[in-house]
Amino acid sequence: MTNSDSAATAAAAEFGAADLLREAAGRAERYLAGLEARAVFPTAAALAGLSAFDEPLPATPQDARATLALLDEAGSPATVASAGQRYFGFVTGGSLPVTVAANWLATAWDQNGGPALGSPVAAKLEQVALGWLVQALGLPAEAGGGFVTGATMANFAGLAAARHALLRRKGWDVEAQGLFGAPPLTVVVGEEVHVSLLKALGLLGLGRERVVRAPVDGEGRMRAEALPALTDTTVVCIQAGNVNNGAFDPAEAIIARARAAGAWVHVDGAFGLWAAAAPGRAHLMAGYAEADSWATDAHKWLNVPYDSGLAFTRRAADLRGAMSHNQAAYLLAGDERVPMEYTPEMSRRARGIEVWAALRTLGRDGLAEMIERCCQLAARLAEGLRAAGFEVLNEVALNQVLVSFGEAEDTRRVMRELQMEGTGWAGTTVWHGRTAMRISVSSWATTEADAEQLVKTLTRLARG
Ligand SMILES: *Cc1c(COP(=O)(O)O)cnc(C)c1O
């Protein structure tokens, strides 16, 4: 070792884990406290400041405290303030304070959430959280579930379970034999299917373009009466919450037809599934509990940190059959739940901990209130924008608002100016051929004042 090596090692030792954690806590606290005042998207100066990271790989150990300082000083300004209250882009959600805190403690634990012996506490909390989720989301009590990275992987897992179950009934073991020579499966999706579901189909060998697209109505909802013929080798993919307008496919009518044919129904409910948790919105979820598999995100509307998605199947054995590495063992019933037998991953972070912390802290009422509040703020935004003379393009039944400020270029200009001003952030989408600003209210932190301010800002920009 050279002198400078030993000096750096000594400095690192002097500034140990306890000091680093305190330092990180202080920096994180200041970051969150500053969110309200800062630009929602990083300024040009902050982006330029990222060049501070363009260093050669250090040859020798560095002071850990300096690493943390660089991360904060160059990194924090270049974040998107999606943890804050004025972020309305995509469907993002913030992070409840208790979930950030639980995440820190769990990170200190550094548990492997996958194997049975990886972490007794993680396995326990995931089991408790699954039980609570099934209740809160109104899913069948016997449903099985897995903690995945997001709704894309939750769609993947749900569709893998569908593939497993439908082919198994035909005497085909798809996990062992693959799809070569298997009885063909037909996948039906709505015209408004989310791209992540198509991606999942591609990964599963079911084909992004091999799908049958069912027609939709003016709100993007699948028309049950216009479904193609269904059989016992059909997977019907329905949506609880269209990513643009929040619309729900008519589950009751579609599932009744699917049941009669022996088809499988998979639900992409990345954010919409949470409507079930709010009594005032639960009617939107009517019939959805009769499906066979469900995908949702906890990092969206439950407001836990990234990454956190959830896959459920009506019969736990179907998810396990598709995901277990041990095809012989999964048939043995009654053993302890092994988390990695329900997810594509083996080793993974114990992401159920934040889900547990959110539910444990919010309770049923707190969860309902958070979902309902977002929906009410969306309705208020829509009213305010309409009153200001702008056209709201969707029925605002959930948390999504699509608004046009005139021609496509007008809407894009308002978006650019809002983003540049940094007082809020929303993007645009194309809805039925028209360019619209898509405003999503999905953060626990967004207030009435934030919604009112956004209406005022957009009105000023649109008229300016
Ligand atoms: C966000 C979203 C997805 C994808 O979720 P990820 O968490 O980004 O993987 C899928 N479907 C819908 C409807 C969504 O809104």
Side-chain angles (χ1 to χ4, degrees):
M1 285 227 299
T2 66
N3 281 344
S4 64
D5 282 348
S6 39
T9 309
E14 238 167 77
F15 205 79
D19 295 316
L20 279 171
L21 288 176
R22 258 195 304 278
E23 176 87 9
R27 289 183 181 277
E29 205 180 319
R30 287 193 290 281
Y31 173 79
L32 291 177
L35 271 182
E36 195 178 344
R38 56 163 287 188
V40 179
F41 195 83
T43 60
L47 295 175
L50 286 172
S51 63
F53 292 116
D54 293 329
E55 309 177 280
L57 171 64
T60 56
Q62 304 293 303
D63 177 6
R65 195 175 175 188
T67 300
L68 199 60
L70 176 61
L71 179 65
D72 188 24
E73 283 152 24
S76 290
T79 56
V80 173
S82 50
Q85 62 210 75
R86 290 179 288 113
Y87 188 81
F88 300 94
F90 307 97
V91 186
T92 298
S95 289
L96 292 160
V98 70
T99 66
V100 177
N103 172 284
W104 288 0
L105 181 55
T107 299
W109 289 350
D110 191 23
Q111 301 289 282
N112 187 348
L117 300 176
S119 176
V121 61
K124 178 70 181 174
L125 292 179
E126 291 195 352
Q127 192 141 28
V128 170
L130 278 175
W132 288 352
L133 285 163
V134 156
Q135 278 179 41
L137 298 174
L139 302 180
E142 71 278 12
F147 291 84
V148 295
T149 47
T152 303
M153 285 312 284
N155 280 328
F156 173 86
L159 291 166
R163 188 181 68 163
H164 167 85
L166 291 182
L167 290 177
R168 194 157 182 266
R169 282 181 219 154
K170 294 285 170 196
W172 188 267
D173 181 346
V174 69
E175 284 71 37
Q177 303 301 325
L179 283 171
F180 308 99
L185 296 178
T186 302
V187 180
V188 177
V189 301
E191 282 291 351
E192 283 282 333
V193 62
H194 193 270
V195 290
S196 70
L197 194 131
L198 297 174
K199 176 172 174 175
L201 290 172
L203 292 172
L204 287 162
L206 295 171
R208 295 183 190 196
E209 291 180 13
R210 223 179 130 270
V211 295
V212 178
R213 286 177 179 266
V216 296
D217 68 13
E219 289 290 320
R221 295 175 293 230
M222 279 165 88
R223 288 167 42 210
E225 82 290 354
L227 276 180
L230 308 178
T231 71
D232 62 356
T233 50
T234 308
V235 183
V236 186
C237 301
I238 63 175
Q239 233 171 204
N242 178 304
V243 72
N244 281 319
N245 67 345
F248 288 67
D249 290 329
E252 266 168 345
I254 293 173
I255 295 176
R257 285 202 46 189
R259 277 265 166 284
W264 180 285
V265 179
H266 171 76
V267 178
D268 177 358
F271 59 102
L273 219 59
W274 298 95
R281 309 286 155 174
H283 62 278
L284 296 166
M285 280 287 292
Y288 276 89
E290 300 305 314
D292 298 287
S293 55
W294 303 264
T296 194
D297 265 320
H299 58 220
K300 285 180 178 167
W301 224 349
L302 186 60
N303 278 257
V304 307
Y306 286 98
D307 47 34
S308 193
L310 295 151
F312 300 96
T313 53
R314 165 174 298 280
R315 295 177 59 245
D318 292 334
L319 185 57
R320 195 174 173 202
M323 294 295 152
S324 177
H325 61 288
N326 189 343
Q327 291 300 307
Y330 97 82
L331 295 168
L332 307 170
D335 48 355
E336 200 181 332
R337 179 180 185 277
V338 178
M340 74 182 184
E341 296 206 325
Y342 296 87
T343 60
E345 302 87 354
M346 278 199 166
S347 297
R348 63 171 173 83
R349 74 183 196 92
R351 60 175 66 84
I353 293 172
E354 300 101 357
V355 173
W356 167 84
L359 295 171
R360 167 72 176 69
T361 307
L362 289 170
R364 205 193 286 266
D365 290 352
L367 176 60
E369 195 271 332
M370 180 171 74
I371 302 298
E372 182 60 33
R373 179 158 33 93
C374 289
C375 296
Q376 284 179 11
L377 291 178
R380 203 181 178 100
L381 272 163
E383 266 166 45
L385 290 165
R386 266 198 208 101
F390 307 117
E391 193 184 351
V392 173
L393 305 182
N394 65 315
E395 282 174 21
V396 182
L398 201 67
N399 63 329
Q400 303 288 106
V401 181
L402 300 175
V403 59
S404 162
F405 296 98
E407 298 299 317
E409 187 38 45
D410 299 321
T411 301
R412 280 195 292 265
R413 177 184 63 78
V414 173
M415 175 201 72
R416 278 195 305 273
E417 289 179 6
L418 172 69
Q419 293 181 356
M420 247 154 26
E421 190 177 283
T423 51
W425 202 97
T428 57
T429 186
V430 176
W431 180 247
H432 293 227
R434 295 188 61 188
T435 297
M437 177 177 281
R438 177 174 58 193
I439 300 170
S440 174
V441 187
S442 38
S443 173
W444 69 277
T446 302
T447 64
E448 226 164 273
D450 297 317
E452 270 159 30
Q453 196 216 302
L454 183 65
V455 172
K456 276 192 201 141
T457 304
L458 292 174
T459 304
R460 169 169 52 78
L461 295 175
R463 290 186 181 152

